[in-house]
Amino acid sequence: MNELKEKTIHCVERFREKLLDQLNDDYFQDFFRFIDEKLSEDLSLEDMADFNQQSVSAFSKKFKEKTKMDVQKFYKKWIYDIADCQTAGF
């Protein structure tokens, strides 16, 4: 079980570090805090765009330009990674 915890934590940390390196600006730092604070809610793309005070299309485009990842795929991965860490006891 400890090995699983360590692998999960390492994977999540690596994923987040890579994204934060790519997105080294306050715009995305605030966004990450927002989605972390709303983990218990089912955020829609509209919620995320509203938080960033942009239209859905503008937010999606900016996110994809910066991360090379679809924002909804990113969000699902973020939620699953957090859930994995919580399941592992963290």
Side-chain angles (χ1 to χ4, degrees):
M1 184 71 161
N2 282 339
E3 186 177 341
L4 175 62
K5 286 181 187 179
E6 289 176 23
K7 286 182 179 181
T8 302
I9 291 167
H10 180 72
C11 179
V12 171
E13 287 175 353
R14 203 172 65 218
F15 174 70
R16 286 184 175 190
E17 286 174 13
K18 184 177 178 184
L19 278 173
L20 292 175
D21 285 346
Q22 288 176 331
L23 309 173
N24 192 16
D25 62 36
D26 291 337
Y27 175 87
F28 284 104
Q29 295 292 334
D30 291 342
F31 173 67
F32 292 146
R33 275 193 291 280
F34 170 72
I35 61 173
D36 275 342
E37 290 171 2
K38 305 290 184 181
L39 284 177
S40 63
E41 299 175 27
D42 186 19
L43 292 177
S44 67
L45 185 54
E46 289 81 11
D47 294 330
M48 293 180 236
D50 286 347
F51 173 78
N52 287 288
Q53 300 176 338
Q54 292 182 304
S55 68
V56 168
S57 61
F59 175 67
S60 296
K61 182 179 178 181
K62 182 172 184 172
F63 192 90
K64 190 156 192 162
E65 286 173 357
K66 287 281 198 171
T67 66
K68 310 296 186 246
M69 185 183 289
D70 177 80
V71 67
Q72 290 176 314
K73 287 180 183 177
F74 159 81
Y75 180 66
K76 287 178 184 176
K77 179 162 179 43
W78 188 277
I79 295 301
Y80 293 141
D81 287 348
I82 295 294
D84 285 345
C85 281
Q86 290 172 342
T87 301
F90 293 94

